[in-house]
Amino acid sequence: MTRIVGSPITRGQSTEMVNQIENAMKKCGVDPQQITKKMLNKKAFEKFIVDYLKENNQAQIVSEKFDANDKVISTTPSGKTYTVKNDKLVALKSEGGLFDYVDGDINGWFGDVTFTDTEAVSGRVQRFKNAMTHRAIIDEGNSLGIYEEYDIVQALLLANELVKAGEIEKPGFGVIIYLKNTRNSNRCRLDVGRYSDGELGVSVDEVNVDFEWSAGGGTLFSN
């Protein structure tokens, strides 16, 4: 659920808004009542308002389930073309990297993925106020209009940036990065976390929508 911070609309504004919506539908030659019913069922008006507010910076959109971080995590494009299995996008400390553990499934599942790094990619960590399932996380992200999926190469580059930015400091907690890449048609995720012994790890897994994450964990969504 989301709430818009600001003063409520007046009765006159509400009436004028309804009139403008009805006139727009009539201009398009459709039945206002039937179209409105369909749009309400799909929460189309809510999505339109959220998108408008985000694009025009006219109000603050607040989540009742996430604590947003003020810090934006971003990559710097190299212009290079990477292949997951050939380029150590995340590396062990013994190899000069940042991690104590790197999941072999990253190469096993997505090793042949190639990506040209020509644009910066960014996101903001959203921390969970209470325990949340993947289903609830994704639903809240979509409700806020911030749900984001990243290519596996982008996700691996962002994993390094999360560590450098100090976002993976608390033992037993981490950040989920949802992936555009699938395995056997199943949605996947990259997990960047610090284990209870303090070591840093990065791994991939499929998304079980009913699996629950503890309060204090987080996900990387659009900023």
Side-chain angles (χ1 to χ4, degrees):
M1 179 179 290
T2 62
R3 59 187 174 90
I4 306 299
V5 178
S7 302
I9 61 176
T10 66
R11 185 180 298 275
Q13 289 172 328
S14 177
T15 300
E16 178 58 24
M17 182 170 61
V18 171
N19 289 338
Q20 289 189 22
I21 292 172
E22 184 174 4
N23 289 336
M25 292 180 181
K26 287 179 178 178
K27 286 182 179 179
C28 293
V30 297
D31 181 351
Q33 189 174 101
Q34 293 302 315
I35 295 299
T36 300
K37 185 185 297 184
K38 292 179 181 178
M39 294 179 73
L40 288 172
N41 287 339
K42 295 182 178 180
K43 295 187 176 181
F45 292 109
E46 179 179 340
K47 183 179 185 304
F48 171 79
I49 293 298
V50 169
D51 289 345
Y52 178 86
L53 292 171
K54 285 185 64 180
E55 290 172 4
N56 293 275
N57 296 317
Q58 293 194 3
Q60 181 185 4
I61 302 173
V62 180
S63 171
E64 296 180 357
K65 297 181 180 179
F66 295 152
D67 276 323
N69 193 323
D70 291 336
K71 190 184 302 179
V72 174
I73 307 302
S74 182
T75 64
T76 301
S78 66
K80 298 179 181 179
T81 297
Y82 296 110
T83 301
V84 173
K85 66 183 177 183
N86 295 334
D87 298 287
K88 288 188 178 298
L89 299 170
V90 289
L92 297 170
K93 290 178 179 177
S94 60
E95 301 168 326
L98 302 173
F99 295 92
D100 299 289
Y101 170 76
V102 175
D103 187 358
D105 283 338
I106 294 173
N107 283 346
W109 292 8
F110 304 119
D112 293 330
V113 174
T114 298
F115 184 86
T116 302
D117 182 31
T118 56
E119 295 183 4
V121 61
S122 61
R124 193 186 303 273
V125 176
Q126 305 282 340
R127 301 281 178 188
F128 313 142
K129 294 182 180 180
N130 298 291
M132 296 182 72
T133 63
H134 281 295
R135 179 183 285 107
I137 296 165
I138 293 168
D139 285 350
E140 181 71 353
N142 282 322
S143 175
L144 291 165
I146 60 174
Y147 177 74
E148 189 77 45
E149 293 179 347
Y150 299 87
D151 182 89
I152 181 62
V153 171
Q154 295 175 320
L156 293 170
L157 295 173
L158 284 165
N160 292 306
E161 298 306 319
L162 284 166
V163 175
K164 293 175 185 177
E167 292 297 321
I168 315 293
E169 291 301 303
K170 189 174 180 181
F173 294 86
V175 173
I176 303 161
I177 304 177
Y178 292 104
L179 302 176
K180 295 177 181 178
N181 316 81
T182 60
R183 179 174 182 265
N184 300 324
S185 300
N186 294 320
R187 175 184 275 156
C188 293
R189 69 180 196 262
L190 187 78
D191 299 329
V192 190
R194 189 176 293 274
Y195 305 128
S196 57
D197 60 5
E199 292 193 336
L200 281 167
V202 57
S203 60
V204 288
D205 206 343
E206 294 182 358
V207 175
N208 177 348
V209 294
D210 295 317
F211 184 86
E212 189 171 73
W213 292 80
S214 301
T219 187
L220 191 69
F221 281 160
S222 68
N223 52 294

Short mmCIF file of all heavy atoms in Angstrom, two decimals, residues 36 73 88 104 118 172 188 190 202:
data_model
loop_
_atom_site.label_atom_id
_atom_site.label_comp_id
_atom_site.label_asym_id
_atom_site.label_seq_id
_atom_site.Cartn_x
_atom_site.Cartn_y
_atom_site.Cartn_z
N THR A 36 -14.70 3.29 -17.13
CA THR A 36 -14.29 3.60 -15.77
C THR A 36 -14.30 2.35 -14.90
O THR A 36 -13.39 2.13 -14.08
CB THR A 36 -15.21 4.67 -15.16
OG1 THR A 36 -15.15 5.86 -15.94
CG2 THR A 36 -14.81 4.99 -13.72
N ILE A 73 22.63 3.64 -5.68
CA ILE A 73 23.71 2.76 -6.09
C ILE A 73 23.78 2.78 -7.61
O ILE A 73 22.78 2.55 -8.29
CB ILE A 73 23.48 1.32 -5.60
CG1 ILE A 73 23.22 1.30 -4.09
CG2 ILE A 73 24.65 0.43 -5.96
CD1 ILE A 73 24.33 1.89 -3.25
N LYS A 88 35.50 -11.92 -14.78
CA LYS A 88 35.26 -12.01 -13.34
C LYS A 88 34.56 -10.73 -12.87
O LYS A 88 35.20 -9.82 -12.32
CB LYS A 88 36.57 -12.25 -12.59
CG LYS A 88 37.13 -13.65 -12.79
CD LYS A 88 38.31 -13.88 -11.88
CE LYS A 88 38.84 -15.32 -12.04
NZ LYS A 88 37.83 -16.32 -11.66
N GLY A 104 29.01 -20.86 -7.70
CA GLY A 104 29.34 -21.44 -9.00
C GLY A 104 28.17 -21.47 -9.96
O GLY A 104 28.37 -21.55 -11.18
N THR A 118 27.10 -0.18 -21.86
CA THR A 118 27.18 1.16 -22.47
C THR A 118 26.42 2.23 -21.69
O THR A 118 26.58 3.42 -21.97
CB THR A 118 26.62 1.13 -23.90
OG1 THR A 118 25.28 0.63 -23.88
CG2 THR A 118 27.49 0.25 -24.79
N GLY A 172 24.21 -11.51 8.55
CA GLY A 172 22.93 -12.20 8.47
C GLY A 172 21.91 -11.54 7.57
O GLY A 172 20.78 -12.01 7.46
N CYS A 188 14.42 -15.44 -11.59
CA CYS A 188 15.61 -15.65 -10.78
C CYS A 188 16.01 -14.37 -10.06
O CYS A 188 15.52 -13.28 -10.36
CB CYS A 188 16.78 -16.14 -11.64
SG CYS A 188 16.54 -17.81 -12.30
N LEU A 190 19.58 -12.45 -7.80
CA LEU A 190 20.94 -12.45 -7.29
C LEU A 190 20.88 -11.97 -5.85
O LEU A 190 20.23 -10.96 -5.56
CB LEU A 190 21.82 -11.51 -8.12
CG LEU A 190 23.32 -11.55 -7.79
CD1 LEU A 190 23.96 -12.79 -8.42
CD2 LEU A 190 24.02 -10.30 -8.30
N VAL A 202 27.94 -13.84 -2.72
CA VAL A 202 27.00 -13.49 -3.79
C VAL A 202 26.56 -14.79 -4.44
O VAL A 202 27.38 -15.67 -4.72
CB VAL A 202 27.65 -12.52 -4.81
CG1 VAL A 202 28.92 -13.09 -5.42
CG2 VAL A 202 26.67 -12.14 -5.90
#
